[in-house]
Amino acid sequence: MKILSKEQIYAADKATEQAEHIPSFNLMERAGGYAYHYLHQRLQNQPVNIKIFCGTGNNGGDGLVIARNLIENGYSVVTYIVNYSESRSTDFLNALSVLKNSTKNWPQLIKSENDFPDIQPEDLIVDCIFGIGLNRPADSWVQKLFNHINESRAYVLAIDVPSGMAIDQLLEDEVVLKPTVVLTFQTPKLVFFLPQGGKHINSWEVLDIGLDRNYLNSVETKAQLIGKAEAKQMYKPRSKFSHKGTYGHSLIIAGSYGKMGAAILSGKAALSSGSGLVTAYTTRQGMPIMQSAAPEIMVVTDRHNGDFLEEIKFDLQPDVIGIGPGLGMAKTTQDAFKNFLKQNESQLVLDADALNMLSENNDLLELLPQYSVLTPHPKELERLIGSWSDDFEKLKKAEAFSDKYKCILVLKDAHTIVVFEGKYYVNNTGNPGMATGGSGDVLTGIITGLIAQQYDPLTASIFGVYLHGRAGDIAINHTGYEGLTAGMIVEFLGQAYLDLFAQESEKK
């Protein structure tokens, strides 16, 4: 699903008006009408007290349309206009005029904290105060209104975006109205998936308001949301006449004393993602551990007997190498890593201590093969690209890093984002149960295993992140959040593949 920018949303509105030869107010009527039907389908004329808070711009106009439809259909509605500005948009005034002509239940004006209404926990609040155009923090008394609503414990439905949230920047000292659900028009907003913005949102749903399909199909967006439909298109079916060599050879360079679990998890994930062959390269003391824990994985070791790798030399010709999980930061390992990069010609997936070694030796970044995949968590990313003031700056700095080194960055978080060639691929699978040791090692193995099967590195990264999250989503049905372990994510990878082709009725 494409994630439109603010400018593209405005352009989509204009394209729809021109294609359908309608004024902008008709589009407001349509959006507000669809939002009303969303509410009506769920309420079914239940006797609930509905309070609609409208701003004085077009988002407020949407709220007035929703209010009029609810009133005309017998709902108990009180509408408030939050008078944060004396200016009114033209379409807001049109919506207000239509509302006043159709009912005597006119809106009440809120000018200050003294006008705040009483809100009960059983009320339904519809938030239409600010829309996508917000570019500065709300006035202090309006922020107090947000807090008043937040503290009420009422069910809050935000229309398009939560009021107080900008969609293309982080506002300094922002206070955001925290909705129960965001009903967002046509496309989710990028800020929903970033930690600093997403923390305000419990859940969201997209409401298709019928914007011009020609524009939506042709516009090129910077960000794309990756869900089941997108992942399914990436899947490569297997041929009947194939063998283990058809699906590639993955080499996992990982593990050290006390951290052999990282090598085991990465290797098993490469196998379970479909790699035909997997070899682990680790320390000598790690060999019996690997051989007993994962008999399907071949093992090669260095020539030393230390707790950490002291050299990385092998006679194999793997299709791809995953390197980093559990390696440690010993000086001998760093030297071995540097020498390895100088002679390596294989495709790389780098994680954990491999990333830490790169961040301590920036000159090594120049040695990475083109299209290497780097999978940092937030702290590892900060060591690579430096600190950032907000999530939008983080993305810009990650994009610049990716462009400079011609690498693919997998920014691990609640919504992992793959960054490459100026594009953001936002993952929509995964859950808080996956915040557990070893989960990142599993992702490294999955991406490595997919590249071994001749998925290009970008597709392997996007698809691998999806499968990783989906396996975790399926697993928590059996474990709950707290009981989920990284090993269980590996166990449910097969189910994640099957889920790509499961019909909704079957899953129910």
Side-chain angles (χ1 to χ4, degrees), residues 73-101:
N73 286 277
Y75 286 96
S76 174
V77 178
V78 181
T79 311
Y80 303 94
I81 295 176
V82 182
N83 197 54
Y84 54 77
S85 171
E86 293 302 324
S87 65
R88 271 85 168 120
S89 73
T90 300
D91 287 340
F92 171 88
L93 291 173
N94 288 335
L96 181 60
S97 177
V98 175
L99 174 63
K100 287 183 173 181
N101 288 332

Side-chain angles (χ1 to χ4, degrees), residues 6 80 125 131 180 206 216 241 248 283 316 409 423 438 472 507:
K6 180 165 65 175
Y80 303 94
I125 306 301
T180 313
V206 172
L216 295 177
F241 295 99
T283 60
L316 308 172
L409 275 179
K423 302 289 187 182
K507 290 199 291 183

Side-chain angles (χ1 to χ4, degrees), residues 347-416:
Q347 175 67 51
L348 293 182
V349 180
L350 301 105
D351 184 33
D353 289 321
L355 300 178
N356 294 329
M357 286 186 267
L358 289 174
S359 64
E360 290 193 4
N361 303 273
N362 288 338
D363 56 310
L364 298 182
L365 289 164
E366 302 289 351
L367 301 177
L368 297 181
Q370 198 171 39
Y371 310 132
S372 291
V373 180
L374 283 64
T375 64
H377 61 53
K379 274 299 178 185
E380 291 165 346
L381 178 66
E382 185 177 5
R383 296 185 194 114
L384 285 171
I385 69 174
S387 60
W388 51 82
S389 60
D390 61 54
D391 288 332
F392 291 98
E393 184 186 8
K394 175 181 70 177
L395 287 175
K396 289 177 182 176
K397 294 184 77 167
E399 183 181 337
F401 181 94
S402 173
D403 289 343
K404 180 177 181 179
Y405 296 108
K406 300 295 186 290
C407 65
I408 298 162
L409 275 179
V410 179
L411 311 184
K412 295 186 289 195
D413 218 309
H415 290 279
T416 294

Side-chain angles (χ1 to χ4, degrees), residues 422-443:
K423 302 289 187 182
Y424 307 148
Y425 303 89
V426 183
N427 187 56
N428 201 29
T429 61
N431 62 78
M434 299 176 71
T436 184
S439 180
D441 302 327
V442 172
L443 179 60

